[in-house]
Amino acid sequence: MNPMTDLGLRFIRRPGPGGRAANLAALGATAVVALLVSFLIAGSLGLSHRSDRIGWRSADKADPASAIGAIKLDDEQRVDGHRLTVLELAVLDVGALRPNELAPPPGLDHAPKPGEVFVSPEVAKHWSSLSKEYGVEHPTGVISAKGLSSPEEFIVIRGVKTIAASEHPQYVSSWNDDVWDSRMLGLLIAVAFGITLVLFPILSLVGQAAGVAAKRREHRLAALRLAGATRAQVLWLSSVEQAVLGFAGAVIGLVGYTVLSPLIARIPLGGGRWYVSDITANWWTVLIVLAAVPVLSVVSALIGLGRVSITPLGVVRGQTRKRISVLRVGLLVIGPLILAYYGMQAALLPVLIGVGFAALAVRVIGPWAVQLIGKTLANLANGPVALLAGRRLADDPKGAFRPVAALVLSGFVTGFISVFMPPGDDNPSFHDMRIGVALLLSLVFLTVAASTAAGAVGTALDQAAPARALRRSGVPLSVIERSARVAAVVPVIGVGLPVVGFGALCGLALSGGKVLTDGNSGVLLLIGQVVAGLVLVAVAGAAGAPVLRKASAN
Amino acid sequence: MSFQTPQSQVVLSGHGLVKYYGDVVGLAGVDVAVRSGEALAVMGPSGNGKTTLLHVLAGILTPDQGEVRLGGERVDQLNDAARTVLRRRRLGFVFQDNQLLAELPADENVALPLMVDGLSRRDAIGRARAMLAQVGLAAEAGRRPGELSGGQAQRVAIARALVGEPQVVFADEPTGALDATTGSQVIDLLIGAATYRGAAVVVVTHDNAVAARCHRVLHIVDGRVSEQVGVVR
C-alpha cells in the first residue's frame, strides 16, 4: 500500500486531539448530504414510477383514428371528505383487435367493458355509499397497486361504450407509453426548481463537512512536510482521509434514508402517500451516492487546503487578508434582471439560471456584508464580547459566513417562495405546492442545521488555543462563549434578514411585480423562517459550546 | 544583568503541594515562596512538574494536597469563578507563543482583560496604549499580531500581562520561540517592568540565560524541589 494511503487510514483510526469531534462533525454532515441526495434522486424516480402507472390517464395527444381508448376525467365528487376521481373509459376497436383482446390498462385484470366498474381499494371500502349511483352492487374489480398513483387514491374507472365528442374526450395510444402524467410532470419541474434552490446549501454543507475535518489535520500536514513529504503527498493523504470519511458518511446517509423511507412515503404529495417501493433507492442511486458524496468531499477538502500554504514550518495563512471589493454588490442586480426579463412565461432553464445567479450573488456578497457588519460592531463595541465578535467577523468574513451560508440562503428561498404561496382552497396543484414548499424548507433547514452545527464545531476547534490562553488569563468562559454566539448570530440577522427581502425581490421580479400569495401564508412563512433561523443558531451553539469548553480547558 | 533578592513581603506561597494526573505524580510535595519584586526561575527536565507548579500557583489547577496563598488569601479553596476573577485582577500571564488574539490589534489585545473587568473601551484602550509605549511599542499599537515580529508580539503579551497591575506575573517559556538576542531583551523587559512595579515574576524555563536574570532558581525533578539557588550572578 502507498505509505501516504496507509498513513491516511491510520489518521482516521487515531484522529488526535480534537480530531474525533471534527471527524464526527464531518461524518454527520456528510451523512446528511448523502441522505438529501438519496432523497432527491429517489424522490424524482418515485415521480417517474408513479407517472408510469397513471400517465395513460392524462394522455391527450393521440390520434383518435389509432387510439386504443378514449377517456373523460371528473374529480368534482367527494367520498367521505376525499376527492374522488371518476375516469370513464371507452376501449376502442383497433384494427383487427377487439377490445377484449387488448392488454388491460395497468392495475386492471381486463380492459373494462361498458358498465363495468373498477375501483381503488379505498373506494372499495366506501362502495356501499356509491353502489346506487353506479348501478352495480359490487365493483367488477379492485385496481391493483400497479394502476394506482397512491395506496390511498380514490378512483373509479368505469367502462363506457363511447364518449361523445361534445364531452371533449382524451385519446390514449397506449396504456404504457412514455407520456408523463401532467401532475407528476409539474412536480418534476418543481423538484428541478427546488434542487436549484437547495443546491447551494447542500454544496455549502459539503464544504463545511470537509473543512471541519481538514482544519484538524493542518498541523500534521506541516509536520509531514517537515519530515520530507511533498505537497502532492500530503494532499493525497488528505484525500484518502476525506474519501474514507465521505464514504462512511454516504453509507450512513443511505442507511438513514432507507430507515426513513416509510416515513417519507407518508408525505401526501402529488395525490396522496407513496408506495415505499416507489421511493426506495435503487442500485444505481446507491452507486451514485456512494461515488458522488466522497468525491465532493475530497474536492471540497482539496479546495480548502489549496487556500493555505502547507510549509514545513506550518500552515501559513495570509496575515493581511484581502479586502473584499464592494464591486461584488453589482452581482445583486443580475439575478433579478434575468428573472424580470424572462418573467413567468419563460422556459424553465432561464428561470433556473436567474434563481441560481441570485443565490450565487448571496453566497458571494455574504462575506462582504459580514466584514462590513463586523467592522461596525467592533468599532462601536464598548465591551469585550462585541469587540471579540466584531473583530472575528471582520478578520475572517468568509470563515464567519461559511457556517451560516446555508441559513442565509434558506432566507433567500423563503423570501422567494413567500411571493408565490397559493390560496388555501383544495385545488390539487395548490395542495402540491404547499406541501412542496414545506418539504423544500424542511430540506433546507435540515441542511442548515447540519451545516451550522458542523461549522460551530470547526470554529470551536479553531479558537481552542487562544480561548485556552484567555481562560488561563482570567477571562471567563462565558465571555468567550458569548462572543462566539454573537459572531454566529450577527451574520444570520445582519445578512439573513436583508437576504429574505432580496429573495422576495427576486420572486417579484419573476412574477412581474405581482404578489400571488393569498392570505397570510407568506407572512407565516417568513416568521417561520426567522424562528427556525434562531432555533438553528441555538442548535449550532449547542453543538459548538461543549467542544469549545473541552478544547479550551487546561 | 542580575538582580538582588528583595527583602520584601512574601506575596505568593505554596506549601506541601501535591498534584496527581491519574497514577502519575505531577508534584510530590513542593514548598515555595515568592516575594514582591522578586523574579523566580523554575527549571528542570521536561515532564518533571515545572508547568504543573506554575498552573497550581496561578490557580489554573487546584492541588490535591497542600495550600496556595496569594497575599495571605487561600487560592486553592476558591471556586473556579473566584479563581478566574483572581487571575484576571491579581495575576498576569505570558505564554511561550504569546497567545495573542490574531484578529485584534495590539492595543485591543492589551485592553481586553481590562474590558472584561468592566472598564470602558475608551479607558481600557488609553491604558493599553500607555503600557505599549512603556514596552517600546507605541508605534505598533494598531498592528495585529501577524504584522509584528516574534519579539514585538511577546512584548505585547508582556504589556497585556502587566496592564492590570498584577501582584504576580507567570511566564511559561517566554523566550522559547525567540532568538537569543531577542529573548534576552524580552526577559529583561519582563523582569524589569514587573519588578519595578513591585510584582513578583515566576518564570518556567529551560534556558540558563533566562534563569541567570532571576533572583532565585528552583530546580524541580520528579515533582520535588531538588535545589534552590539564591542570588544568581
Side-chain angles (χ1 to χ4, degrees):
Chain A
M1 188 187 287
N2 179 320
M4 285 295 150
T5 307
D6 183 42
L7 206 53
L9 296 176
R10 280 178 196 223
F11 283 165
I12 289 281
R13 288 198 298 271
R14 291 179 194 160
R20 194 175 299 279
N23 283 352
L24 281 177
L27 201 62
T30 317
V32 171
V33 171
L35 194 148
L36 290 172
V37 173
S38 306
F39 175 73
L40 290 172
I41 298 177
S44 302
L45 288 174
L47 290 173
S48 169
H49 295 323
R50 183 176 272 190
S51 181
D52 286 346
R53 296 194 298 269
I54 63 170
W56 65 273
R57 296 186 203 158
S58 61
D60 61 350
K61 288 184 181 168
D63 177 6
S66 61
I68 60 170
I71 58 174
K72 191 186 109 184
L73 277 168
D74 170 47
D75 59 1
E76 295 301 314
Q77 204 176 336
R78 288 190 164 273
V79 178
D80 196 24
H82 299 277
R83 186 186 293 273
L84 174 68
T85 302
V86 179
L87 187 148
E88 292 189 344
L89 169 62
V91 178
L92 306 176
D93 292 350
V94 186
L97 285 176
R98 305 293 303 164
N100 58 2
E101 293 166 336
L102 264 176
L108 275 60
D109 58 10
H110 64 270
K113 296 169 192 150
E116 287 187 334
V117 178
F118 288 84
V119 299
S120 63
E122 284 298 316
V123 174
K125 290 180 195 166
H126 297 83
W127 187 249
S128 56
S129 62
L130 294 167
S131 59
K132 267 190 188 172
E133 185 181 336
Y134 288 87
V136 287
E137 193 176 343
H138 297 289
T140 314
V142 175
I143 306 167
S144 75
K146 288 180 181 171
L148 295 173
S149 70
S150 156
E152 58 186 13
E153 185 177 23
F154 280 73
I155 185 169
V156 172
I157 298 178
R158 177 159 68 174
V160 292
K161 194 168 171 53
T162 56
I163 297 172
S166 61
E167 293 186 89
H168 307 294
Q170 298 170 337
Y171 290 96
V172 181
S173 58
S174 161
W175 308 126
N176 300 305
D177 64 14
D178 295 331
V179 178
W180 270 81
D181 173 74
S182 56
R183 193 170 173 182
M184 294 306 114
L185 186 61
L187 276 174
L188 193 67
I189 292 170
V191 166
F193 197 68
I195 287 175
T196 311
L197 290 173
V198 84
L199 185 67
F200 282 88
I202 286 184
L203 288 177
S204 174
L205 176 56
V206 173
Q208 198 65 258
V212 70
K215 274 178 193 167
R216 288 308 88 212
R217 57 178 87 102
E218 285 176 354
H219 292 292
R220 285 197 317 222
L221 300 185
L224 281 169
R225 292 280 280 127
L226 193 61
T230 64
R231 181 173 169 78
Q233 282 176 314
V234 297
L235 289 180
W236 171 255
L237 182 146
S238 278
S239 302
V240 169
E241 279 187 89
Q242 202 59 50
V244 171
L245 280 177
F247 187 80
V251 170
I252 295 170
L254 277 167
V255 170
Y257 177 74
T258 307
V259 170
L260 290 174
S261 290
L263 280 179
I264 294 170
R266 297 172 77 87
I267 298 170
L269 184 67
R273 294 176 182 178
W274 296 74
Y275 292 106
V276 175
S277 58
D278 277 350
I279 57 163
T280 300
N282 59 18
W283 65 269
W284 61 264
T285 303
V286 171
L287 277 186
I288 287 177
V289 172
L290 289 181
V293 172
V295 167
L296 276 174
S297 300
V298 169
V299 169
S300 292
L302 292 183
I303 290 173
L305 284 173
R307 292 194 197 111
V308 297
S309 166
I310 305 162
T311 75
L313 295 177
V315 179
V316 180
R317 298 173 191 281
Q319 296 292 0
T320 314
R321 294 182 190 278
K322 275 199 279 185
R323 292 175 70 87
I324 301 175
S325 169
V326 72
L327 289 176
R328 289 176 171 224
V329 180
L331 271 177
L332 280 177
V333 298
I334 298 176
L337 281 180
I338 294 174
L339 291 169
Y341 179 77
Y342 286 102
M344 298 282 273
Q345 308 308 316
L348 186 62
L349 191 60
V351 172
L352 292 182
I353 291 172
V355 174
F357 227 101
L360 180 67
V362 171
R363 191 82 171 81
V364 172
I365 288 164
W368 174 82
V370 167
Q371 191 174 52
L372 192 68
I373 293 168
K375 278 182 185 170
T376 309
L377 184 66
N379 291 336
L380 296 177
N382 200 33
V385 173
L387 178 69
L388 280 170
R391 287 282 179 243
R392 196 160 288 155
L393 294 175
D395 183 62
D396 184 13
K398 285 183 184 170
F401 184 70
R402 212 172 293 130
V404 299
L407 187 54
V408 170
L409 282 165
S410 81
F412 172 78
V413 173
T414 313
F416 188 94
I417 290 172
S418 67
V419 178
F420 295 98
M421 287 301 286
D425 71 17
D426 60 356
N427 179 314
S429 299
F430 291 171
H431 172 80
D432 283 352
M433 188 161 173
R434 280 195 299 275
I435 297 278
V437 166
L439 198 56
L440 177 65
L441 290 179
S442 304
L443 292 184
V444 171
F445 284 139
L446 177 62
T447 315
V448 166
S451 188
T452 39
V457 171
T459 306
L461 291 170
D462 256 358
Q463 294 169 357
R468 188 161 46 239
L470 285 174
R471 287 181 73 180
R472 285 179 182 174
S473 306
V475 175
L477 179 65
S478 61
V479 169
I480 301 165
E481 286 183 336
R482 268 161 52 211
S483 75
R485 271 201 296 276
V486 171
V489 168
V490 163
V492 173
I493 294 174
V495 184
L497 288 182
V499 163
V500 171
F502 177 63
L505 176 75
C506 288
L508 287 170
L510 181 66
S511 71
K514 292 178 197 150
V515 176
L516 305 179
T517 298
D518 186 63
N520 56 5
S521 51
V523 176
L524 288 176
L525 199 65
L526 294 176
I527 292 172
Q529 159 71 30
V530 172
V531 172
L534 294 176
V535 168
L536 288 170
V537 171
V539 167
V547 178
L548 181 64
R549 201 170 301 144
K550 192 174 172 189
S552 68
N554 190 51
Chain B
M1 187 174 178
S2 62
F3 303 88
Q4 291 289 334
T5 304
Q7 297 304 308
S8 48
Q9 281 192 325
V10 169
V11 64
L12 175 72
S13 64
H15 295 291
L17 298 175
V18 174
K19 180 71 185 175
Y20 296 105
Y21 296 105
D23 294 335
V24 178
V25 179
L27 296 176
V30 173
D31 292 316
V32 61
V34 194
R35 296 175 183 280
S36 297
E38 182 188 20
L40 172 72
V42 181
M43 298 190 78
S46 297
N48 274 237
K50 301 186 300 293
T51 299
T52 299
L53 176 62
L54 184 143
H55 286 173
V56 168
L57 290 174
I60 295 169
L61 294 175
T62 49
D64 293 315
Q65 289 173 35
E67 60 179 57
V68 177
R69 288 180 185 272
L70 178 69
E73 184 183 359
R74 281 287 291 270
V75 174
D76 55 286
Q77 290 182 335
L78 299 174
N79 63 24
D80 185 58
R83 281 186 281 123
T84 299
V85 173
L86 178 136
R87 289 201 299 274
R88 188 167 71 236
R89 292 186 177 162
R90 296 170 64 184
L91 305 178
F93 293 87
V94 180
F95 303 100
Q96 178 176 353
D97 48 356
N98 69 63
Q99 295 286 6
L100 298 173
L101 293 175
E103 58 267 42
L104 263 56
D107 55 357
E108 290 179 0
N109 258 297
V110 176
L112 190 68
L114 302 175
M115 291 174 72
V116 171
D117 221 20
L119 207 63
S120 74
R121 177 191 178 124
R122 186 178 172 162
D123 292 345
I125 292 284
R127 276 177 61 178
R129 287 184 180 160
M131 184 55 73
L132 283 169
Q134 288 178 40
V135 298
L137 290 177
E140 277 74 30
R143 293 197 178 173
R144 291 188 300 178
E147 298 165 326
L148 301 172
S149 69
Q152 286 176 322
Q154 202 60 313
R155 281 151 73 187
V156 175
I158 291 170
R160 183 177 65 179
L162 294 175
V163 74
E165 304 288 343
Q167 290 175 278
V168 184
V169 176
F170 292 94
D172 193 354
E173 298 283 4
T175 60
L178 304 174
D179 63 76
T181 309
T182 311
S184 164
Q185 290 166 353
V186 163
I187 198 68
D188 283 348
L189 174 69
L190 170 63
I191 294 175
T195 55
Y196 173 75
R197 288 169 170 73
V201 180
V202 179
V203 187
V204 165
T205 183
H206 282 107
D207 188 344
N208 286 323
V210 171
R213 284 169 164 75
C214 296
H215 300 105
R216 273 193 302 137
V217 181
L218 199 68
H219 283 274
I220 301 277
V221 177
D222 292 336
R224 297 175 190 278
V225 177
S226 70
E227 186 184 9
Q228 281 204 53
V229 182
V231 194
V232 176
R233 290 191 182 275

